[in-house]
Amino acid sequence: MRTWIGLAVLALGVAGMGLWGSNHQATRMQARVADGAAAVGASSVHGVETKVAGRDIYVAGLADGPQEHEALLTALDAVPGRRAVHDDLIVLEVVTPFHLRAQRGAGGVTYDGVVPSEAARDTLAERIGATVAGGLPVAAGAPVGWVQAVEHGLDALDQLKTGDLSVSDQHLTLTGLAATPVEAGKAEAVLAELPEGFSAETRIDTEDDGKPLSLFVSFDGKKAVAQGKLPKGIAAGILARGSGLPGLEGEASNAQIRDDSGLWPGIAELGLAALAQLENGALAIEGVALHLSGEATPEGKVKAEALLDKLPNSVLAVSVITLFDDGAPFAMSAQLSDGTITATGKLPAELTPEALSVVAGAEWAQAYISDEDNRFTAAARAGLAALRALEDGTLEVTAEALHLSGTARTPHEAAQAEEALLALPGGIEPVVVMDFLDDGTAYAMALDYNAATGATLSGKLPAGLTPAQVSRLLGLAEVPSTATEGLIVQKAIAQEVLAALALWLPEFETLKAEISEEATVVQGLTSPGVDVELLTAALSRSLPEGATVAVNLSGDLPVAGTTRVNAATGAAEQFLDGFWLPEVMFEPSEQSCPAQSDAVLAQHRVNFVTGSARLDAGSVRAVNALASVMTACIANVGLVAELGGHTDAQGSDAANIVLSQARADAVRAALIARGVPAEALSAVGYGASQPVADNATDEGRASNRRTTVAWAAKPLSDD
């Protein structure tokens, strides 16, 4: 329509020129006719060609439809000075709708439709080929901008794998299949830039979702589960072959596109092989980016990272591999026995048995990870230091709690253990349960003695004194004991007390000694015949200063004929005539009787209070033993005996004779009291007349002060 309006305006202009030309010279008329005709031709759609001969106009070319044909002839008719118009125009058919169709398939692109001009044909030929473009007829009826719209449509079609483009007047329709949403989006973006007045409709499917190739594998140490999008023709199971992963499960899909780079399978295989080195983890591959994370042993971590180092440089590989841990908190149980600590539990990598100076038990588990905040390490070291202060014990420790139980040697060692626990990290309140081998209190022991049954110990012994030592000090067989043995070195007088008691124990029927650092108390009941007063004094002198001694004569006497073994002497005894007398263990005869009496006096001296005839506290043992020997010898052999009293040379002879006689008489009376027949005994005081040693020395004088027994088959004469 705009072309026809232009031609009408042109015709009016030419008419005006004719009026003007009538006033000019005729020679110039032909030129003006030619110019007017050329102007009309130039204004046509297809640029028709005009020629002027004389003043006749000849026009040839393509008229863009009947309307343009009529308008051109009208305009040429109006050229001033023309004589005739010769019409050689080819009138193009008006195509409605004006259309072009392009179809892309497996064999290429086919085209069907019309073009609005030769110029348009040439433009299209540059992209679809001259041959194909030449097969498209020129027609009239194209909207303004139609060629540009077609070019946009073809650009959009180029983004599709298969498709159908239809351009009809000012509307484009594009359908087909794009490889991915990316290409579909590009096609739609091109069609969004159509010339003004044009519209487009698209229906584009995609062969692939457009997401990059990917593989996501989670591995829990037992099985691997895969998801993702693999290249066309590649299965996850195939990629996992040789990786060492256990059965690969999951629903990894396959893309409809192939991996054009050829790198992707190799990337996936190396990634899966690296994942197999972990205890657990995850592998993510997207395009040419790889991310591996998880937990591994130190050896597995090295192997996994070595595999990733084999990836091509074009691959962006990131690995975050931490040392494997089962998630259980660090914990340690330790037992101290016989100086050795045996430990079990889960310990950080740096806390080896060597580092802790312990023996690893069967359930020792060395973690691969470290104690990052050092909390457990500090607790374990503090706990072990406390445990080492004990004699034996058990330690349970975590990063949050500590329990220590055991036996400390003394409170001092217990305090050392408590002090070691001061190094515990904040927030840990230790639970400590301790016994003591020695509770730190002063010793306080008790000895209970019975001549018939022996002795027992109770209480607490001083450091260094054992029940066995008590037995040896007292000269007794094994002493049963419930006493604890003290370990703290204290100023102890117990051994001195026991040594003193050992001197006089045979004189007691029962005795109880309470011995402590502060006091010694001895209470006892003596055997019959013991001089209680003298024994009390002698025992008091033997004991440490300040000891309390209470001795009484036993009133609980057995029936005659009762026998026992005296615990203090080891001798078998029989209760006769109110006394405990040793049983005769020999065959009486004239030869054996003197030997037995001499043996008794050699083992048990008969001693007296200085300057008197009073038997001292220890003489009862000798008197009892002599009574048994003499009774047997007198009764069975018919012997008689003389008891001789002897003194040292100190004092006058007369005084010594008197003293020795009194002493011999005292022994005779004691023997008679024990059942020895009086008629078979005589007593003679010899004074210092029969010395057996040098009276110039204390030792000699002590030897000379003695009692002797002389045996005879009949009573001795007065001579």
Side-chain angles (χ1 to χ4, degrees):
M1 179 63 71
R2 286 178 293 180
T3 302
W4 303 331
I5 294 173
L7 291 173
V9 173
L10 180 61
L12 292 174
V14 171
M17 289 176 62
L19 293 174
W20 175 82
S22 63
N23 297 321
H24 289 74
Q25 298 176 2
T27 57
R28 301 182 63 185
M29 182 61 69
Q30 182 173 338
R32 290 193 178 99
V33 171
D35 290 340
V40 172
S43 65
S44 66
V45 173
H46 301 285
V48 298
E49 181 181 354
T50 59
K51 293 181 180 180
V52 177
R55 286 185 292 156
D56 289 348
I57 299 173
Y58 295 87
V59 59
L62 298 176
D64 196 46
Q67 287 184 326
E68 186 186 51
H69 179 250
E70 182 179 352
L72 285 173
L73 293 180
T74 301
L76 291 174
D77 281 342
V79 173
R82 63 99 181 146
R83 186 168 49 210
V85 176
H86 301 277
D87 180 11
D88 292 324
L89 291 171
I90 299 173
V91 180
L92 296 177
E93 178 186 1
V94 176
V95 176
T96 302
F98 201 86
H99 67 278
L100 177 73
R101 184 178 185 185
Q103 293 178 295
R104 179 184 295 277
V109 183
T110 61
Y111 299 89
D112 181 41
V114 295
V115 293
S117 66
E118 291 293 343
R121 190 200 306 275
D122 293 340
T123 299
L124 292 176
E126 293 178 1
R127 63 185 307 158
I128 68 175
T131 301
V132 176
L136 299 176
V138 178
V144 175
W146 190 87
V147 174
Q148 291 83 356
V150 168
E151 288 185 303
H152 278 70
L154 293 176
D155 287 342
L157 182 62
D158 285 344
Q159 299 299 322
L160 308 186
K161 297 188 70 173
T162 61
D164 190 337
L165 171 67
S166 174
V167 183
S168 179
D169 287 338
Q170 290 184 301
H171 186 73
L172 283 75
T173 301
L174 179 64
T175 62
L177 179 67
T180 71
V182 174
E183 288 77 15
K186 289 180 179 180
E188 291 175 346
V190 170
L191 295 180
E193 301 295 329
L194 290 173
E196 184 178 357
F198 282 80
S199 62
E201 176 185 357
T202 61
R203 294 188 299 276
I204 303 174
D205 295 326
T206 56
E207 186 178 38
D208 190 82
D209 60 9
K211 296 179 181 179
L213 297 174
S214 62
L215 178 62
F216 303 97
V217 182
S218 61
F219 177 46
D220 64 3
K222 296 181 180 179
K223 68 177 181 179
V225 179
Q227 293 180 329
K229 177 181 174 182
L230 306 183
K232 188 174 183 178
I234 296 179
I238 295 175
L239 292 174
R241 288 177 183 173
S243 68
L245 279 176
L248 190 62
E249 303 175 1
E251 298 180 355
S253 62
N254 280 100
Q256 296 303 310
I257 57 175
R258 297 186 180 276
D259 172 35
D260 294 333
S261 70
L263 296 175
W264 208 88
I267 295 172
E269 288 173 359
L270 284 171
L272 289 169
L275 178 62
Q277 304 304 317
L278 309 187
E279 298 299 309
N280 58 73
L283 171 68
I285 304 175
E286 290 189 272
V288 291
L290 180 148
H291 187 278
L292 178 66
S293 62
E295 295 180 323
T297 65
E299 180 182 5
K301 185 174 186 292
V302 170
K303 289 182 177 180
E305 291 174 343
L307 286 166
L308 296 183
D309 286 341
K310 297 179 180 180
L311 290 168
N313 293 333
S314 59
V315 177
L316 176 61
V318 176
S319 64
V320 182
I321 303 173
T322 58
L323 292 177
F324 170 71
D325 188 66
D326 60 7
F330 294 129
M332 180 179 69
S333 297
Q335 291 77 40
L336 171 63
S337 178
D338 296 329
T340 299
I341 295 178
T342 302
T344 60
K346 176 183 175 182
L347 283 297
E350 63 274 15
L351 288 188
T352 62
E354 294 76 16
L356 295 176
S357 298
V358 299
V359 175
E363 296 182 5
W364 177 283
Q366 196 76 57
Y368 298 117
I369 62 174
S370 297
D371 181 17
E372 293 184 358
D373 61 5
N374 206 45
R375 184 175 177 84
F376 174 80
T377 299
R381 290 190 181 280
L384 288 172
L387 183 61
R388 288 189 176 95
L390 307 184
E391 295 297 301
D392 58 68
T394 299
L395 171 68
E396 301 286 341
V397 60
T398 68
E400 304 301 330
L402 182 145
H403 187 282
L404 176 67
S405 62
T407 303
R409 187 172 185 271
T410 70
H412 175 71
E413 286 76 17
Q416 289 180 328
E418 295 278 4
E419 183 177 0
L421 295 179
L422 295 177
L424 286 172
I428 297 180
E429 294 296 334
V431 177
V432 180
V433 179
M434 275 191 282
D435 294 325
F436 307 99
L437 295 178
D438 187 323
D439 61 6
T441 59
Y443 76 90
M445 60 179 288
L447 172 71
D448 286 281
Y449 171 76
N450 184 290
T453 59
T456 60
L457 279 175
S458 61
K460 179 180 179 181
L461 304 181
L465 184 63
T466 66
Q469 290 174 316
V470 171
S471 299
R472 289 194 294 271
L473 286 169
L474 294 175
L476 300 177
E478 181 180 357
V479 177
S481 174
T482 60
T484 59
E485 297 180 28
L487 300 175
I488 300 176
V489 176
Q490 299 169 327
K491 181 180 179 181
I493 60 172
Q495 293 188 358
E496 181 181 350
V497 171
L498 292 172
L501 293 177
L503 296 174
W504 304 107
L505 206 56
E507 277 65 64
F508 284 92
E509 287 297 301
T510 62
L511 179 141
K512 182 177 182 65
E514 295 177 342
I515 309 168
S516 69
E517 190 174 8
E518 297 180 352
T520 298
V521 177
V522 179
Q523 301 176 16
L525 298 176
T526 68
S527 299
V530 174
D531 189 322
V532 172
E533 180 183 2
L534 291 180
L535 178 59
T536 300
L539 182 56
S540 297
R541 289 192 300 271
S542 301
L543 291 171
E545 185 178 356
T548 300
V549 179
V551 179
N552 293 290
L553 186 64
S554 175
D556 185 14
L557 300 179
V559 298
T562 300
T563 60
R564 72 180 184 189
V565 174
N566 189 293
T569 64
E573 297 178 335
Q574 187 174 24
F575 193 73
L576 297 171
D577 298 311
F579 297 92
W580 283 104
L581 304 180
E583 292 185 359
V584 174
M585 306 301 292
F586 69 98
E587 186 67 31
S589 67
E590 291 185 5
Q591 293 76 30
S592 63
C593 287
Q596 288 296 319
S597 60
D598 289 345
V600 168
L601 293 174
Q603 183 179 4
H604 306 293
R605 288 180 61 84
V606 178
N607 292 318
F608 300 87
V609 176
T610 302
S612 77
R614 186 177 181 179
L615 290 167
D616 74 0
S619 295
V620 67
R621 278 174 262 174
V623 173
N624 287 346
L626 278 176
S628 293
V629 171
M630 288 184 168
T631 298
C633 289
I634 291 171
N636 295 305
V637 184
L639 298 177
V640 295
E642 176 195 88
L643 299 173
H646 302 269
T647 66
D648 58 28
Q650 291 182 324
S652 66
D653 290 341
N656 285 333
I657 289 294
V658 172
L659 179 60
S660 63
Q661 183 63 52
R663 287 178 172 176
D665 290 339
V667 173
R668 180 174 181 273
L671 291 172
I672 293 171
R674 286 161 174 76
V676 179
E679 64 275 14
L681 290 178
S682 61
V684 178
Y686 291 99
S689 63
Q690 297 180 4
V692 293
D694 188 355
N695 278 303
T697 65
D698 290 340
E699 292 79 5
R701 288 191 293 273
S703 297
N704 289 330
R705 295 191 296 270
R706 68 193 187 281
T707 298
T708 58
V709 176
W711 293 94
K714 58 182 180 178
L716 298 177
S717 66
D718 293 337
D719 298 336

